[in-house]
Amino acid sequence: MAHLSLSATQADNFYIPSGWDPKEGSLAKFVGNKGRDQFERRGIIRLELPFDCWCDGCSRPLGKGTRFNSTKKAVGKYYSTTLWLFEFKCPSCSSSFELRTDPKNSDYICASSLRRKLVPQQGDNVLYETNYRERDAAQRLAANPINKLERENDDRKRALSTQSQLESIQRHSTKYHQYDADTNSILRERHRTKRKLVQKLEAKKSWCS
C-alpha cells in the first residue's frame, strides 16, 4: 500500500524526495532535471515558417508552414513585448537563417540569408508588398495629393464601368425572365409534341415487327 501511495504522489507531482532543502535550490535542480522539453534542455524549438521564402544561398523555395529545428533567444524589447530571434539552417545548403519578430507591425522580419517572397496585396487601391521594409515608402506615396487625385479618378472610371456592366446584366436578365410563364408553356408544348412523335414511331415499329 505504501508503494502505491508513493507512485500516486509521483504521478501527481506531489512527491518531495528526502534530503531536499528549498533554501539550497529548486526541486528540479536537486533531482537533476534538465527541463521538461527540448527548449528547456537544449534551447531548441520547432519553428514553422509564417510565409513563403527563398534561400539566398541556393535559391531554394521554402513554403509557408515548413518546419525547422530552431534556436530561440531574446534580443530586445518593444515596449513590454520581447523581441525574439530564431536561427535555423537551410536543408539544402549551409546557409544559416535568422528570423526576427516585429511586434510593431504584427509580423516577422527576414534578418539573414532569407528572402521573403513578395506578394502583391490590394489595399486602398494601391499594391502593397508584404515586405514591411518598403511599407513606409508606399504609405508616403498613398498620402501624396497628386497620387491621391489620380486614384480617385481611377476609382470614378472603374465605378462607371462597373455600373455599365451591371445595367447590361440587368437588361439581359429582364429580357429573358420577364415572360417566365410563356417560356415555360412553349417548352412544355415542344416536349409534349416530341414525346408523342416518339410514341408513334415506337408503336409503328412494334406493329411492323
Side-chain angles (χ1 to χ4, degrees), residues 4-72:
L4 293 176
S5 300
L6 180 59
S7 299
T9 56
Q10 289 176 337
D12 295 334
N13 294 326
F14 294 139
Y15 173 70
I16 299 178
S18 60
W20 173 62
D21 187 357
K23 298 179 180 179
E24 297 180 358
S26 65
L27 179 60
K29 182 178 180 181
F30 178 79
V31 298
N33 186 3
K34 296 182 179 180
R36 294 171 297 177
D37 51 34
Q38 64 175 357
F39 177 65
E40 292 185 356
R41 291 193 293 268
R42 302 192 303 273
I44 301 296
I45 67 166
R46 196 67 173 161
L47 174 70
E48 186 173 299
L49 282 182
F51 39 68
D52 295 333
C53 302
W54 299 88
C55 173
D56 285 340
C58 62
S59 300
R60 170 173 176 164
L62 304 170
K64 177 182 178 181
T66 305
R67 295 183 177 183
F68 296 89
N69 287 333
S70 168
T71 60
K72 173 185 175 182

Side-chain angles (χ1 to χ4, degrees), residues 145-204:
I146 297 178
N147 186 48
K148 184 177 180 180
L149 182 60
E150 292 178 351
R151 295 203 316 271
E152 290 178 353
N153 291 334
D154 292 341
D155 291 343
R156 193 177 296 108
K157 292 179 182 179
R158 192 179 298 108
L160 292 175
S161 176
T162 303
Q163 182 179 0
S164 177
Q165 294 176 2
L166 291 176
E167 290 177 352
S168 177
I169 294 173
Q170 186 175 7
R171 288 194 300 269
H172 179 81
S173 178
T174 302
K175 177 181 178 181
Y176 286 94
H177 297 283
Q178 186 175 6
Y179 304 101
D180 289 344
D182 296 339
T183 304
N184 184 40
S185 177
I186 293 173
L187 291 175
R188 289 170 63 86
E189 180 64 27
R190 290 178 181 177
H191 181 68
R192 190 180 304 111
T193 303
K194 183 178 179 180
R195 187 175 66 251
K196 289 181 179 179
L197 179 61
V198 171
Q199 290 176 353
K200 289 181 180 179
L201 292 175
E202 290 180 351
K204 184 177 180 181

Side-chain angles (χ1 to χ4, degrees), residues 35-167:
R36 294 171 297 177
D37 51 34
Q38 64 175 357
F39 177 65
E40 292 185 356
R41 291 193 293 268
R42 302 192 303 273
I44 301 296
I45 67 166
R46 196 67 173 161
L47 174 70
E48 186 173 299
L49 282 182
F51 39 68
D52 295 333
C53 302
W54 299 88
C55 173
D56 285 340
C58 62
S59 300
R60 170 173 176 164
L62 304 170
K64 177 182 178 181
T66 305
R67 295 183 177 183
F68 296 89
N69 287 333
S70 168
T71 60
K72 173 185 175 182
K73 58 183 178 181
V75 293
K77 287 281 188 178
Y78 176 74
Y79 294 100
S80 60
T81 304
T82 303
L83 300 177
W84 295 101
L85 173 65
F86 304 96
E87 295 179 332
F88 51 103
K89 292 186 177 181
C90 177
S92 298
C93 65
S94 59
S95 298
S96 180
F97 301 143
E98 290 186 359
L99 192 67
R100 297 175 182 266
T101 57
D102 183 13
K104 179 180 180 181
N105 299 303
S106 301
D107 199 31
Y108 294 85
I109 297 176
C110 298
S112 175
S113 301
L114 194 64
R115 178 163 43 93
R116 184 170 185 170
K117 182 179 179 180
L118 301 181
V119 181
Q121 292 184 344
Q122 187 74 23
D124 194 21
N125 301 316
V126 177
L127 287 178
Y128 290 106
E129 302 290 347
T130 53
N131 187 347
Y132 285 94
R133 295 176 181 176
E134 302 177 358
R135 195 183 68 169
D136 293 339
Q139 288 179 345
R140 288 194 297 270
L141 180 64
N144 189 314
I146 297 178
N147 186 48
K148 184 177 180 180
L149 182 60
E150 292 178 351
R151 295 203 316 271
E152 290 178 353
N153 291 334
D154 292 341
D155 291 343
R156 193 177 296 108
K157 292 179 182 179
R158 192 179 298 108
L160 292 175
S161 176
T162 303
Q163 182 179 0
S164 177
Q165 294 176 2
L166 291 176
E167 290 177 352

